[in-house]
Amino acid sequence: MASSPDVPSVGNTPENPGNGSPSEASEASEASTAFEALHAAGTAGGDRRGRVRARRAAVMAVPATLVAAGLAVLTAQGALGVQFAISGMPFTVTATELNGTGFEQFGGLDNMADGSPNAGDTGGQVLVVTSAIKNATLDHLCQSVDLGGTNLLITAGGGADKVQASDLTTDSTELSGNAAFNNIEIGNDASTLTKAGVKGPIGVFSQQADTVHIANLRQTNYATTAGVFKLPGLKLRFSDSGC
């Protein structure tokens, strides 16, 4: 049986794809309109999702900010030891007399900044003894830093008014003087100390006392912090000799 040849419909050839019937044109127009509406909605939704993600990120950042602020406040109040990277340059501190209430002492590690030229073969760490005093007064305080060929020298409290410090902590590698303590406890776990408001690492040997008196104090320090540090008669200068 013979079959009739396939003849394309008039106006619907590949060369003229857009010349369809009116109903087909209407359907195409409706599809285009729907696509544009979906695209607009998707764009708006993306903007909203972006704003939501930004708000969530901001909310999540709040606790981290509060923690950082809390650490700064605790350090200022002496409730924590040194929290900054040390320079690795030791400095000398002397006083003819130190009197303090609320005394604690324990071992610890101070860390230099990564790549510090002062690290040498230490790995950037210094083993120190942390001394914490809740309230202290010092007579004839002197502090000096050897800068190589000259010293930066600071003196205070040489007159009638003494240097006063609260929540004072010092990280030392050497300490000497004539010391006297009241109600001293030796061998405490550093994490259980109560006299100065500072707690050291758990399992570390420590000691504490109600009061401390040190005559002819001399320290080699790597760090010092204080909640309040009053320096009457302060003088800062360069000198050929240190303390």
Side-chain angles (χ1 to χ4, degrees), residues 92-94 141-147 150-156 234-243:
T92 301
V93 175
T94 65
L141 175 69
C142 178
Q143 176 179 301
S144 63
V145 183
D146 186 351
L147 301 177
T150 189
N151 293 270
L152 178 61
L153 189 69
I154 298 173
T155 57
L234 172 67
K235 292 182 180 179
L236 186 152
R237 59 193 182 278
F238 291 103
S239 173
D240 293 336
S241 59
C243 297

Side-chain angles (χ1 to χ4, degrees), residues 95-103 133-139 162-166 168 178-182 210-217:
T96 57
E97 188 175 61
L98 177 149
N99 288 285
T101 58
F103 171 80
I133 304 176
K134 188 64 178 176
N135 294 288
T137 59
L138 301 98
D139 289 339
K162 301 177 182 180
V163 171
Q164 297 181 41
S166 63
L168 175 68
N178 300 313
F181 304 92
N182 283 338
D210 287 344
T211 65
V212 58
H213 169 82
I214 304 177
N216 301 318
L217 170 69

